[in-house]
Amino acid sequence: MNPILHPGEKIFVVSRRYFESDTRRHFVGEVDDSTVNVVRATGFVFVMNPNNAFERKPEMRTRVFPLSDARVMIHVIPPTTVLNKVRYVIKDNRLHLWDDDDFFYDVDEFRQV
């Protein structure tokens, strides 16, 4: 069986929380390798800060995500996305990821009120 994700593909990962008090974490990166069960990617981690805004950690990290865990949602994003420019913006009262260029992604499960 072949892996569904391939080296070089860019991904946006939402790790759902176990508990309401858990820190909200997102990841934007590039696939390094994958099997049918896991994906290893290098990129940037975003965490929710005390002001309820996502903040990018400055250093790149390599993370491994299980493909069979329902709490991990992996979205394939355009190959032209400039990972070191990706940031969160609010437009029309909705939260989006944006790389200041072509990539603009509505993070619709996090509606702003």
Side-chain angles (χ1 to χ4, degrees), residues 11 26-32 40-46 56-63 65 83-84:
I11 57 174
H26 293 172
F27 177 86
V28 175
E30 186 172 319
V31 173
D32 297 322
R40 184 181 70 211
T42 300
F44 294 96
V45 174
F46 292 82
R56 186 179 88 181
K57 296 293 184 177
E59 66 280 349
M60 289 186 89
R61 299 177 182 192
T62 298
R63 304 256 333 251
F65 300 99
L83 297 177
N84 63 350

Side-chain angles (χ1 to χ4, degrees), residues 1 3 10-11 13 20 23 25 27 30 32 36 39 42 52 62 67 74 77 79 85 90 93 95-96 102 104:
M1 194 180 268
K10 294 184 180 173
I11 57 174
V13 182
E20 186 67 30
T23 302
R25 297 178 191 278
F27 177 86
E30 186 172 319
D32 297 322
V36 294
V39 61
T42 300
N52 286 327
T62 298
L67 296 176
I74 300 175
I77 59 177
K85 288 184 168 184
I90 296 175
N93 229 17
L95 186 63
H96 297 82
D102 292 335
F104 194 73

